[in-house]
Amino acid sequence: FGDSYVAGYGVDFDQCWVYKLEQLLRRPIANLGINGAWITELSEHPPALETGDVLLVLGGANDFLGEGTVAQVVASYESLKVYANKAGARCMIILPPTPVIVEEDLFVGLNMIRSLQEKLKELDEKAEGLHLDKVIPKDPVLYIDGIHLTAEGHGLIARAVYEYGVEKDIF
């Protein structure tokens, strides 16, 4: 559930971390990623959950490219956790990686990237969950456009989500 990181913007379906995680878990995953989505808006209309489901949430970067605040994103994460808990499901919050500035092919302008980096750093300090900055190296080669990850970057997310989920007894 989330934005373009979940939808797999820029990579083929079978290269997206959600698909790769599905292969690791050997069970189906509904990819509810929407390019350009704000987690603050998505949290107002969460997906239907059943007892035993796992809600994986990755989003927040688009909120910060707009006028969203760290406090709003954290509140959205918390509301999704409460929602999942009430449904008898588990929730894993996955914090987006901080983009690496590359000189060419930026998805957004350089000033927006720098602002996004600052807000994601603050989010990383205030939110609980799997912090992708701890598992994705700051290597421009892993980024398509300064924000979105290559197939290799998606592989790193899939492995990290799998390991975190096993460690925290989510899967």
Side-chain angles (χ1 to χ4, degrees):
F1 187 63
D3 58 20
S4 56
Y5 283 116
V6 178
Y9 179 90
V11 299
D12 292 335
F13 172 78
D14 63 345
Q15 295 175 324
C16 178
W17 71 268
V18 178
Y19 176 83
K20 292 179 178 196
L21 179 63
E22 186 175 70
Q23 302 307 302
L24 288 169
L25 292 172
R26 297 183 181 169
R27 58 195 238 203
I29 299 175
N31 186 330
L32 303 176
I34 301 171
N35 289 320
W38 287 32
I39 201 65
T40 50
E41 292 174 352
L42 290 176
S43 67
E44 294 175 9
H45 307 284
L49 296 174
E50 297 178 5
T51 300
D53 283 348
V54 176
L55 178 62
L56 304 172
V57 177
L58 172 51
N62 290 324
D63 300 74
F64 298 149
L65 289 171
E67 295 179 12
T69 66
V70 171
Q72 290 169 324
V73 170
V74 171
S76 294
Y77 290 164
E78 293 304 317
S79 73
L80 287 166
K81 286 184 205 175
V82 168
Y83 169 76
N85 203 13
K86 285 182 181 177
R90 290 159 285 169
C91 182
M92 179 192 299
I93 302 299
I94 306 163
L95 283 76
T98 303
V100 173
I101 296 177
V102 293
E103 296 301 319
E104 307 173 2
D105 301 325
L106 285 177
F107 185 72
V108 296
L110 193 56
N111 286 339
M112 289 185 83
I113 290 279
R114 288 192 175 120
S115 173
L116 177 59
Q117 288 174 322
E118 290 172 15
K119 289 179 180 179
L120 285 171
K121 182 179 178 185
E122 184 182 345
L123 179 68
D124 207 44
E125 294 168 356
K126 294 185 177 180
E128 293 181 18
L130 171 59
H131 298 257
L132 290 180
D133 273 350
K134 294 180 181 172
V135 296
I136 298 178
K138 297 291 178 226
D139 185 348
V141 170
L142 293 173
Y143 290 83
I144 296 168
D145 55 13
I147 292 179
H148 298 99
L149 293 163
T150 62
E152 183 181 354
H154 278 266
L156 293 171
I157 293 175
R159 175 61 55 193
V161 170
Y162 177 79
E163 291 173 359
Y164 184 87
V166 169
E167 175 188 325
K168 300 290 185 181
D169 201 28
I170 295 170
F171 303 132

